[in-house]
Amino acid sequence: MSDARLERYAELLRAYAPSLNLVSPKVLAELPLHFEAARAYGEVLSEGAAVVDLGSGAGLPAIPLAIHRPDLTLTLVERRAKRAAFLELAVAQLGLAGVRVYNGDVRRWTGRTAYVTAQAVAPFDEVYNLVRHAAEYPLTLMARKGPGWRAEAERLGAEVFHVKPLGTDAELVALRLEAPR
């Protein structure tokens, strides 16, 4: 972790994770891997893209992504008030000007987006159903996935255009939908 803001984010996670149930001890021990995975998301996103991070939780991958790619505009969507409060704190302390936190159900969010990240949220078809009201096409859905993601892509009828291994047990998968389903 070379960026001081990544170090500060890691400190915030370690300080608040136990009391807010943000991430497991395993995730805390593997933060550098999660930060590298966030970089992989950034490889797929267009310059200046507006991205919705669905189910942001503790801010992985969105906060490291925002640090690596300050050109992006990110909306972190989190239903749970305590986690949303943590995200607000982290965004403020890290000086992430292009990041906003939406505390609520994404189905009530009134913005528009062509890019959605959804790590550990739901299968791709369910994620699409949650965000379809806000979709701009072509729509890109991205997530860190384990085995079985191909069936998710087939159910949705989406084009798989990017797959990158993330360690030994997961891949970053990006799907594109050219029109509403």
Side-chain angles (χ1 to χ4, degrees):
M1 290 185 286
S2 59
D3 191 302
R5 290 176 302 166
L6 283 177
E7 293 285 352
R8 178 64 185 132
Y9 175 54
E11 290 170 7
L12 289 169
L13 282 173
R14 288 186 197 100
Y16 289 94
S19 61
L20 297 179
N21 192 27
L22 294 174
V23 293
S24 69
K26 182 178 189 250
V27 169
L28 287 176
E30 298 173 342
L31 282 178
L33 297 174
H34 290 278
F35 293 169
E36 280 305 310
R39 275 190 197 272
Y41 281 83
E43 295 169 6
V44 179
L45 297 166
S46 300
E47 183 76 21
V51 182
V52 169
D53 183 56
L54 186 57
S56 292
L60 293 169
I63 289 179
L65 176 59
I67 291 168
H68 293 303
R69 292 282 309 274
D71 62 293
L72 301 173
T73 302
L74 286 112
T75 301
L76 283 56
V77 178
E78 178 53 54
R79 292 184 312 178
R80 293 162 289 191
K82 288 181 181 179
R83 290 185 181 192
F86 170 78
L87 293 170
E88 292 278 6
L89 171 79
V91 167
Q93 289 206 8
L94 299 169
L96 300 174
V99 179
R100 300 290 173 264
V101 176
Y102 176 78
N103 179 207
D105 188 323
V106 72
R107 292 172 289 197
R108 296 195 176 156
W109 182 66
T110 58
R112 304 285 296 163
T113 188
Y115 296 95
V116 176
T117 60
Q119 186 162 295
V121 173
F124 280 122
D125 54 333
E126 292 177 31
V127 168
Y128 176 66
N129 286 332
L130 291 171
V131 299
R132 72 183 334 150
H133 73 283
E136 291 181 347
Y137 296 91
L139 176 67
T140 298
L141 302 176
M142 294 188 296
R144 181 180 178 181
K145 293 287 186 178
W149 65 262
R150 290 183 195 283
E152 294 178 29
E154 287 176 19
R155 275 196 312 271
L156 185 55
E159 170 197 357
V160 178
F161 74 93
H162 182 88
V163 178
K164 180 174 184 168
L166 298 174
T168 58
D169 62 343
E171 296 173 304
L172 174 65
V173 180
L175 308 181
R176 182 176 292 121
L177 292 167
E178 295 294 335
R181 296 283 188 267

